[in-house]
Amino acid sequence: MKVTTLLGIGFAAIAASAVPALVLAQTQPEPARRVSSTDIAGEIVAIDDGDFLLNTTEGQVLVDADDRAVRRANFTVGEQLNVTGRYDDDSFEAYSVTRENGEVVFVWD
């Protein structure tokens, strides 16, 4: 009877020690891919399909956006924009564009 009790206690201890590790793994998952963004503002100086050149206070920035969204938005040269996105190699990948009147155009490619 003592052997059975000790085996029971031993199995219970093993099982109990495994549960917190599983619970810990379930309550602290790896964070999802984080997308950081920044804003740039300026005037459009050129448009080519889904790309446009924005003249900012730091210089000119090539903004990459979905060409269909840019055509639908009908951006014009000289228009002042605030662009939210991230720098990607040699361009700025746009997520959204806010016009001077507050209209937001989502252009994530």
Side-chain angles (χ1 to χ4, degrees):
M1 180 88 98
K2 289 185 180 182
V3 172
T4 306
T5 304
L6 289 176
L7 286 175
I9 293 171
F11 286 128
I14 292 170
S17 68
V19 172
L22 293 175
V23 171
L24 180 64
Q26 292 175 0
T27 58
Q28 295 179 3
E30 283 295 314
R33 179 178 160 232
R34 295 182 185 163
V35 177
S36 61
S37 64
T38 190
D39 292 335
I40 59 173
E43 177 184 344
I44 295 178
V45 294
I47 302 172
D48 182 33
D49 290 327
D51 298 335
F52 54 91
L53 195 58
L54 199 64
N55 196 21
T56 72
T57 56
E58 279 89 41
Q60 293 186 338
V61 177
L62 178 62
V63 177
D64 180 22
D66 180 65
D67 56 339
R68 290 172 294 174
V70 171
R71 281 196 299 272
R72 275 192 307 258
N74 199 27
F75 294 130
T76 59
V77 171
E79 190 170 359
Q80 294 288 325
L81 303 174
N82 185 52
V83 183
T84 301
R86 68 179 178 86
Y87 286 97
D88 184 31
D89 297 328
D90 59 345
S91 67
F92 187 82
E93 185 177 331
Y95 303 152
S96 66
V97 176
T98 306
R99 291 184 142 136
E100 283 186 297
N101 67 4
E103 176 190 359
V104 178
V105 179
F106 293 98
V107 295
W108 194 346
D109 194 8

